[in-house]
């Protein structure tokens, strides 16, 4: 999650190395070079890739190929200190004028979004060990039981129901209860169900060691308009109501927990996993229709990693479909147009891109926020001391409070018949809009509060395709924003609901002056829709470009074991295989799916 209003966000993070310097943790003998053979070769050392690589390395020989290096070295404390995930990670700027940081970002720019003001959007994606878990906002939010039931139905496999997935969710995390003393906020005690978490994983999940005062008021405003606190949090299959957001933060040090600081570190200490950093996989190699290995390029040296058993593709939502296509798997017409020999004609590759979008309603506020405290020379030194000595204070916090809701009858009645019908086809407890309470500084340094509305179910579809047979050319991305009018319709209703939250007594008690974004002049439904189309942004949760499904289904690329249809010895394991955009936030399910498929491979392999 991230609430995005690029023009108004003041990037206050210093892009300088963390002090003291973070040592590179991979042992020299675990850094690969040149031709070699492994049981499993994993393409992409990102969120899913490092998780599945670490688990497979518990019983087999495994290599992982990653285009980037260590983000702590390449991006400094911007990628380590929780608050800087909001203010210091400058590459999340979605505008065409985004800062170029090829050492940690893929620098992807989409095609013009024809239904959204023809904007070309910079879509940040981590190019580093840890992948996008090194850039994300660390919210750990599972989806609803009904969404996993829908996944199970689409995949034709009951192992995808929430109850059957829960052991893998638990296995992938280590929960630390909230530190109420450090949080020191009576109204912000997180509710959660300890039974839905585990303790054996290297991946820390906990709550911020600090509560933002502005967000406390905005949380109250959501509660005041009827979005009650979910007494179990959202990790037990019920994704409705509000909660203080659990995060992938190491609570003892208040540092980002990524797949690199968790699963890679664990594998480094406990297995023979071999890492190929700063290396780009260029192509999956086949013998007939059986994947046999991967061609790799490290600084211009090209070599082959052979896979005795399987190749696992974990290159993420944009690069996994691209890798399939340049290797000969995808829509036949696309492959032929690029002179790529067809290994498997799979029309669904790259076709089902789902990207949930979001808009903000923002006011100036009288209450302090984390960004303001650390930007103020009078309060910054104490904040830094708190962070460095106590792992607490504003620097230690990222995501705050979120609420999920099914639209009220009043707002549902404003939707078109077709939008109502589209929503009615979803499970009856599916949340429809997500409200994220946020804070930022206006360009002149004044504190703002924001209440963003995000669609929970993306009806629009985009696509990923290729412009050449070379992996070095960026994938061609059309996000498909507003290609289905239901998304705009729901977002307008969501924006109205955000305004209701701002109109409540708790929000009014901190609001200074009139609404700034969108502003009072944006009033009629037509004006609201126009505003939404011109200003909606991603929250970096795109999915489903190599969808899981039943063999022969139009969009299906992998079966319920994540095996690519039409070939042998190749699986895709990352967010691209989610069959649709899950309500909630994806990383919890990305870690889960990596655990689940690793376990399936282990059971099949032993
Ligand atoms: C700014 C931002 C904020 C977000 N906030 C949240 C949040 O708060 N909560 C949440 O749940 N989710 C959030 N997300 C989304 C979440 O982080 C992603 O959904 C998740 O990390 C995706 O995991 P993945 O394994 O599919 O891909 P990634 O983690 O992106 O991994 C793909 C890896 O493959 C590598 N790679 C690609 N091609 C090649 C190649 N040819 N050769 C070698 N390596 C290659 C990449 O460098 C990368 O390391 C956010 C994402 C972003 C970008
Ligand atoms: C970020 O790093 C710089 C340089 O080491 C340091 O001066 C600064 O205090 C760091 N910020 C935080 C919040 O640790
Ligand atoms: C910033 O701009 C807003 C709107 O113009 C104004 O209300 C506020 O006082 C300004 N803040 C500062 C510190 O100048």
């Amino acid at each position: 999650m991230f609430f995005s209003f690029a023009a108004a966000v003041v990037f206050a993070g210093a892009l300088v190395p963390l002090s003291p310097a973070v040592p590179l943790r991979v042992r020299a003998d675990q850094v690969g070079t040149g031709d070699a053979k492994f049981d499993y070769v994993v393409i992409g050392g990102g969120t899913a890739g490092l998780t599945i690589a670490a688990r497979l390395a518990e019983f087999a020989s495994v290599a992982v190929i990653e285009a980037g290096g260590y983000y702590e070295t390449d991006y400094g404390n911007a990628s380590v200190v929780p608050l800087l995930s909001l203010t210091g990670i400058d590459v999340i700027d979605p505008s065409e004028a985004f800062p170029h940081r090829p050492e940690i970002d893929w620098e992807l720019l989409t095609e013009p979004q024809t239904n959204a003001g023809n904007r070309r959007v910079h879509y940040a994606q981590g190019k580093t060990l840890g992948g996008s878990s090194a850039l994300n906002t660390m919210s750990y939010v599972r989806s609803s039981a009904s969404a996993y039931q829908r996944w199970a139905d689409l995949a034709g496999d009951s192992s995808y129901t929430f109850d059957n997935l829960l052991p893998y969710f638990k296995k992938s995390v280590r929960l630390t209860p909230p530190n109420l003393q450090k949080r020191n906020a009576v109204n912000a005690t997180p509710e959660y169900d300890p039974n839905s978490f585990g303790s054996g994983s290297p991946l820390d999940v906990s709550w911020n060691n600090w509560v933002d005062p502005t967000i406390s008021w905005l949380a109250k405003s959501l509660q005041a308009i009827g979005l009650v606190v979910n007494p179990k949090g959202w990790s037990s299959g019920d994704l409705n109501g509000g909660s203080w957001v659990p995060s992938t933060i190491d609570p003892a040090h208040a540092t980002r927990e990524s797949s690199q600081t968790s699963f890679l570190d664990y594998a480094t200490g406990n297995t023979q996993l071999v890492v190929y950093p700063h290396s780009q996989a260029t192509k999956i190699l086949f013998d007939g229709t059986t994947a046999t290995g991967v061609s790799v390029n490290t600084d211009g040296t090209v070599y082959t990693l052979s896979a005795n058993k399987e190749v696992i593709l974990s290159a993420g939502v944009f690069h996994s479909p691209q890798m399939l296509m340049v290797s000969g798997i995808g829509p036949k017409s696309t492959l032929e147009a690029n002179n790529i020999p067809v290994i498997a004609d799979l029309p669904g590759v790259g076709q089902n891109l789902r990207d949930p979008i979001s808009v903000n309603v923002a006011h100036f506020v009288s209450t302090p926020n984390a960004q303001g405290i650390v930007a103020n020379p009078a309060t910054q030194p104490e904040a830094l001391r708190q962070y460095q000595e106590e792992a607490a204070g504003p620097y230690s916090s990222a995501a705050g409070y979120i609420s999920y809701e099914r639209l009220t009858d009043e707002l549902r009645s404003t939707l078109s018949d077709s939008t109502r019908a589209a929503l009615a086809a979803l499970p009856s407890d599916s949340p429809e809009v997500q409200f994220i309470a946020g804070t930022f500084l206006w360009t002149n340094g004044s504190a703002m509060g924001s209440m963003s509305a995000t669609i929970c179910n993306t009806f629009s579809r985009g696509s990923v395709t290729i412009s050449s047979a070379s992996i070095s050319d960026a994938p061609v991305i059309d996000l498909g924003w507003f290609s289905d009018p239901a998304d705009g319709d729901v977002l307008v209703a969501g924006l109205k609901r955000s305004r209701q939250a701002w109109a409540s007594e708790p929000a009014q008690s901190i609001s200074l002056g009139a609404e700034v974004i969108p502003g009072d002049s944006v009033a009629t439904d037509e004006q609201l829709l126009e505003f939404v189309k011109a200003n909606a942004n991603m929250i970096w949760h795109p999915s489903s470009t190599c969808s899981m499904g039943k063999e022969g289904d139009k969009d299906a690329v992998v079966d319920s074991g994540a095996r690519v249809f039409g070939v042998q010895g190749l699986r895709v394991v990352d967010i691209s295989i989610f069959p649709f955009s899950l309500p909630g936030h994806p990383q919890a399910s990305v870690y889960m799916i990596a655990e689940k498929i690793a376990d399936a491979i282990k059971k099949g392999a032993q």
Side-chain angles (χ1 to χ4, degrees), residues 5 33 89 111 171 199 205 217 220 253 288 292 299 313-314 321 373 392 395 420 436-437 498 503 518 568 576 583:
F5 198 81
T33 48
I89 294 197
E111 298 297 287
K171 188 178 181 199
S199 56
V205 171
W217 286 100
K220 282 189 189 181
H253 305 98
T292 57
D299 283 336
L313 176 55
S314 302
I373 293 170
Y395 279 117
R420 273 203 298 271
I436 302 177
S498 290
Q568 296 78 46
S576 69

Side-chain angles (χ1 to χ4, degrees), residues 1 47-48 66 106 128 131-132 136-137 139 281 540 574-575 585 587:
M1 96 154 210
T47 317
E66 170 52 46
W106 282 94
T128 183
S132 297
N136 71 19
T137 319
S139 304
W540 292 272
D574 60 24
I575 194 170
H585 290 225
Q587 69 166 343

Side-chain angles (χ1 to χ4, degrees), residues 373-509:
I373 293 170
V374 306
N376 180 343
T379 45
Q380 194 270 351
E382 170 59 10
L384 194 60
R385 187 204 63 76
Q386 276 182 296
Y387 183 63
Q388 291 176 342
E389 292 176 16
E390 298 163 12
Y395 279 117
S396 70
S397 79
Y401 189 89
I402 297 180
S403 231
Y404 291 88
E405 182 178 54
R406 295 178 59 70
L407 288 169
T408 57
D409 291 345
E410 176 208 352
L411 286 172
R412 193 177 305 278
S413 71
T414 65
L415 303 174
S416 71
D417 290 348
S418 62
T419 300
R420 273 203 298 271
L423 291 173
L426 295 170
S428 63
D429 69 342
S430 178
E432 292 165 340
V433 187
Q434 167 183 246
F435 300 95
I436 302 177
T439 60
F440 62 101
L441 300 183
W442 192 244
T443 41
N444 67 4
S446 280
M448 304 209 74
S450 75
M451 184 62 73
S452 70
T454 309
I455 55 174
C456 289
N457 305 283
T458 309
F459 295 105
S460 299
R461 286 172 183 235
S463 65
V464 175
T465 188
I466 52 175
S467 65
S468 85
S470 170
I471 197 77
S472 307
D473 292 322
V476 178
I477 302 165
D478 174 8
L479 300 170
W481 283 358
F482 303 107
S483 59
D484 188 316
D487 292 341
D489 224 7
V490 174
L491 214 42
V492 167
L495 197 158
K496 291 176 179 168
R497 190 70 166 143
S498 290
R499 281 181 161 173
Q500 290 177 1
W502 274 112
S504 72
E505 197 276 321
Q508 281 302 302
S509 73

Side-chain angles (χ1 to χ4, degrees), residues 14 16-19 77 81 84 380 384 387-388 395:
V16 280
L18 189 74
S19 153
N77 53 13
V81 178
L84 301 188
Q380 194 270 351
L384 194 60
Y387 183 63
Q388 291 176 342
Y395 279 117

Side-chain angles (χ1 to χ4, degrees), residues 14 27 31 69 92 94 136 165 168 172 234 281 308 327 331 355 368 377 397 407 410 443 489 539 559 582 586-587:
R27 299 193 314 263
V31 178
I92 59 178
N136 71 19
L165 294 176
Y168 298 109
S172 68
W234 305 305
N308 298 328
S327 304
D355 192 32
S397 79
L407 288 169
E410 176 208 352
T443 41
D489 224 7
I539 58 163
D559 71 9
L582 293 172
Q587 69 166 343

